[in-house]
Amino acid sequence: MKKENLNPLHSLQQQIKLGCERLKLDSSVYELLKEPKRIIEINIPVKMDNGNIQVFKGYRSLYNDAAGPGKGGVRYHPDISKNEIAALSGWMAMKCSVVNLPMGGAKGGIKVDPQLLSVGELERLSRGYIQGLYKYLGEKLDIPGPDANTNGQIMAWMTDEYIKLTGNYNIGVISGKPIELGGSNGRHTATGYGVSLIASEVSKKIGLDIKNAKVAIQGFGNVGSHAAKHLQDLGARVVAIAKRDYAIYDNRGIDIDDLMMHTSENKDILSFPNTEKISLDKFWSLDVDMIVPAALENAITATIAEKINAKIICEGANGPITPAADSILNQKNIIITPDILTNAGGVIVSHYEWVQNQLGLYWSQNEVLDKEKKQMIKSFDIIWKIKEDFNITLREAAYIHSIKRIAEIMKIRGWY
Ligand code: NAD
């Protein structure tokens, strides 16, 4: 088999190009959207606990800010690259536009395995990231938030460092903060909750009853665990959960509340009782109604796509399906709800956090969830209609909707 192109920036560029062609846009639009507006690389020196200095690579990419300030999380991972951060920032630009937010797209990251650092080293590294970039960040400039391997505590250190360096209490500069520091109710669970809403809406469209639908989830971090929890609340049966090297399985349905409790104390899900350990091969071939990839990019390659038997794939992670896998799954008539729509709940509530920070007024959990639900379902309905009107995939429909809006704003602003 031909080696697959796993470059996420190339797959993003392909989607943007296709969208521009379908919309018959001026070629300038693709020129403006094919790469980030700016991408900054920094070296972050950190004094380690043993007294030595170690230097870590950090990135921040602002893809497009036509519709508003840059918005996007910061990922800590040993394998990140400048190219990956560029692609992730582009997906953020598309995502913010798909759900009609007054924000552009950005993303950042540090090349590090945070598990190898002490708490003190992690704090100094996170503060160092802000020291290197604070001039390019701001409530009305570029707004970081959490992503894979970063959390509310890290956002709190970053916010504090920003306040110290600028002398201004502009806490809207970072999203995903703890509630005590101006975080929004509902932000922690927002992405997973949004995934469950999209899963439920698409199920209705194809006549699948979400109650008792069998679901398999890859990844049990923030997105995967909360998607699992909310899907279970809707009546779905989460029968399998995959980690990096294996999966656990129980055809009667895994109790997600118990598993969440278990993972808060144990790193490994393998010791969770009453489940069977299965191989990843078996996981991907399971006879389930729905799969939710909620780990990282390129999880579903062409080889894996051949094995999949599900009716629906809801992309909880960003870019989990390679372009080659995407065409195989489309040929198999498997409905894919694209990442830029499916996992937009997180950035929607990050936007609410930003609004609340500027107002100095805070909404209840129910108010936040209710607003998120309305916004997600409204966006889903728009994208579904475009898909039906033009007889295209949901992914193509989402890109068309997103690019059209950004192109209109760039035109009005005189960028082309
Ligand atoms: P996280 O770090 O909380 O969780 C990721 C989980 O995936 C971890 O449990 C990790 O062990 C697991 N994992 C890593 N590689 C794996 C593999 N090969 N197979 C199975 N599991 C694997 O991260 P998260 O915040 O849940 O983010 C997951 C994905 O969702 C990322 O693509 C991220 O960009 C995207 N996303 C996150 C948010 C958010 O609000 N957190 C919003 C939108 C999109």
Side-chain angles (χ1 to χ4, degrees), residues 75 77 88 92 95 107 146-150 187-188 190-192 218-225 242-246 280 293-297 299 316-319 343-344 346-347:
R75 173 177 294 189
H77 199 280
L88 286 162
M92 283 308 297
K95 191 181 304 181
K107 200 81 175 192
D147 191 71
N149 292 324
T150 53
R187 174 61 186 91
H188 186 58
T191 310
Q218 184 208 26
F220 201 69
N222 178 287
V223 180
S225 65
K243 295 285 280 184
R244 196 184 303 270
D245 305 312
Y246 61 85
L280 292 180
L296 291 173
E297 300 91 87
N318 288 311
N343 68 31
V347 75

Side-chain angles (χ1 to χ4, degrees), residues 171-233:
I171 55 173
V173 63
I174 307 268
S175 68
K177 300 180 292 294
I179 303 284
E180 299 83 338
L181 190 62
S184 177
N185 280 308
R187 174 61 186 91
H188 186 58
T189 58
T191 310
Y193 176 54
V195 172
S196 74
L197 294 171
I198 297 295
S200 161
E201 290 307 299
V202 76
S203 297
K204 282 183 215 158
K205 294 286 186 195
I206 66 159
L208 172 75
D209 188 0
I210 193 85
K211 288 197 182 76
N212 290 319
K214 278 165 76 172
V215 183
I217 299 186
Q218 184 208 26
F220 201 69
N222 178 287
V223 180
S225 65
H226 293 291
K229 160 87 181 117
H230 286 288
L231 280 164
Q232 189 177 69
D233 289 349

Side-chain angles (χ1 to χ4, degrees), residues 195 199 202-203 208 213-219 227 231 237-242 280-295 299-300 304-305 307-317 320-321 329 332 334-337 342:
V195 172
V202 76
S203 297
L208 172 75
K214 278 165 76 172
V215 183
I217 299 186
Q218 184 208 26
L231 280 164
R237 224 174 349 140
V238 180
V239 296
I241 293 182
L280 292 180
D281 251 8
K282 188 155 177 211
F283 170 84
W284 292 115
S285 335
L286 282 173
D287 192 12
V288 289
D289 298 300
M290 191 183 291
I291 294 181
V292 179
I300 301 179
I304 291 176
K307 297 178 187 160
I308 290 181
N309 294 307
K311 299 181 183 75
I312 299 171
I313 300 179
C314 293
E315 292 186 326
I321 299 179
L329 296 166
K332 288 169 85 172
I334 295 173
I335 299 218
I336 301 167
T337 68
T342 312

Side-chain angles (χ1 to χ4, degrees), residues 111-141:
K111 200 170 173 58
V112 61
D113 181 351
Q115 311 227 28
L116 303 179
L117 302 187
S118 69
V119 176
E121 289 166 344
L122 190 63
E123 176 174 353
R124 293 193 288 282
L125 177 66
S126 306
R127 288 182 184 277
Y129 183 76
I130 297 300
Q131 286 157 15
L133 286 167
Y134 77 98
K135 289 180 188 146
Y136 303 94
L137 304 174
E139 279 183 343
K140 299 286 171 68
L141 199 57

